[in-house]
Amino acid sequence: MHLKAAAHIEAMSAFALANFGGYDRTTLAQNESAFPPSPRAIAAGRDAMTRSHLYPDPDWTELRKAIAQAYGAEPDLTLCGAGSMDLISCTIAAFSGPGSQVLGTSYAYNFVASAVARVDAIYLKAPERDFAVSVDNILTTLTPATRIVFVCNPGNPTGTVIPNAELLRLRAGLPRDVLLVVDQAYGEFDDQDPKPVFALVARGDTVVLRTLSKAYGLAGARVGWGLFPPAVAAQVRKMQNSNQVTTSSLAMAVAAMADQAYMRETVARTAGIRDQFAHDLRSAGYHVPESRTNFVLIGFSSAAVAEAAEKALRGAGIIVRSLGGYGLRDCLRATVGPQEMMDRALHILIDMRGE
Ligand SMILES: *Cc1c(COP(=O)(O)O)cnc(C)c1O
């Protein structure tokens, strides 16, 4: 081929999603909600489709108000995007660049590594401890070239949380010119008060990201949001394509935000299925870290056993996420899906222990 992309793009690998063998079935591989979105969100989205000849509100005015209502978040500090992936890549593009470093943690969300590679920056990982983020390790891995520290809390693919106090300690230990990004995609599954971490945004050096893809069951609508200090927001907005969040997605998101009771019910039902599944797996001898998300990490005795389990589940039409890309070949990640599917997955995994 004669055409060449930029050298750093040629060198990077494409972002790897799970291997589904088609999109025609429910999978336990993408951390999608086990439950559909609020009926009010669906009705609002349908209604908004009639206005699709008009561009959407580029300032997400109604959604910012709805988020402020639900979270006590400052509308002036809120940015929205086409999923929080949009906000992650725009933040990284604005605040790092060729030769600068972004510091994540060993098992942190892989998309961050892709977003860093796109802008020819360098991605470093601080080791985690017992499948949880270690603030001490982040602080010792930091270098003078580090521009952004990226932490997922709760973590993906681990599912674990660290206390808010640890995030405050991390912020206090970082230089003021390092941007801390706290990705709380699963924040609604964590019962800690969100306010102390949201309050860090007022310092001017911290961003907190959320999404409607998980607890609100709107992964297909592509709506994320975050709290950004005004000076940071001004730069990130330059990287965003305007009108990224569609009219119908905005309408769905506003209605979903306003229906907090439905979201809480979804979270409670999901957590109920998750905790029983995790408990039964532990009883069968699997290592399953305590999850505060809509998925569980399952540890196997070896990579070969994990691979055999992945195959056995796949044979039964259940797709889970292999984690070789995270350096966790001996683990699988299973999203909490419909009860009936979790029961089938559990039986397959228990039978494997018996062999
Ligand atoms: C799912 C997920 C996201 C974002 O997803 P969007 O659908 O783009 O909002 C971000 N971070 C983590 C850790 C996730 O698991």
Side-chain angles (χ1 to χ4, degrees), residues 266-310:
T266 297
V267 167
R269 288 169 72 185
T270 305
I273 299 172
R274 175 196 69 204
D275 290 345
Q276 187 64 48
F277 183 69
H279 172 269
D280 292 346
L281 286 176
R282 286 187 199 112
S283 302
Y286 289 101
H287 178 64
V288 182
E290 190 73 34
S291 168
R292 286 286 172 272
T293 61
N294 69 343
F295 61 85
V296 290
L297 183 79
I298 309 168
F300 294 82
S301 50
S302 71
V305 175
E307 200 179 313
E310 195 271 339

